[in-house]
Amino acid sequence: MKAAYIVRISVPAREFRAALAGVPGAALVRELPRDQVVVVLERAAARALACLPGVVAVREDRPEHLLERPGDA
């Protein structure tokens, strides 16, 4: 099953993208501010993502469900 991860990097995105090419099925989807990128890959490959040069932190991007209050429409 694929998942999206927010990855904080300490190298330029171009350099990170080149390293990411070595992880089968991984795709850099978007660059974010503050040296972060969004990567989609199989959950089983998350450890390989974390071991890439220039990776500072990895966290799964999980959607948050907002709770509706009574009376909200």
Side-chain angles (χ1 to χ4, degrees):
M1 174 186 249
K2 288 196 173 198
Y5 294 88
I6 296 176
V7 183
R8 194 162 46 123
I9 56 176
S10 64
V11 296
R14 181 178 54 213
E15 187 177 324
F16 174 75
R17 189 183 300 267
L20 186 63
V23 180
L28 191 149
V29 177
R30 184 175 172 189
E31 293 182 32
L32 300 173
R34 294 186 298 254
D35 299 322
Q36 297 181 94
V37 294
V38 177
V39 174
V40 173
L41 74 158
E42 293 291 332
R43 279 194 168 105
R47 186 172 299 270
L49 175 64
C51 292
L52 289 176
V55 171
V56 175
V58 176
R59 72 174 171 86
E60 189 171 353
D61 187 22
R62 295 184 182 168
E64 295 181 20
H65 298 283
L66 299 177
L67 299 176
E68 291 185 22
R69 295 180 297 181
D72 287 347

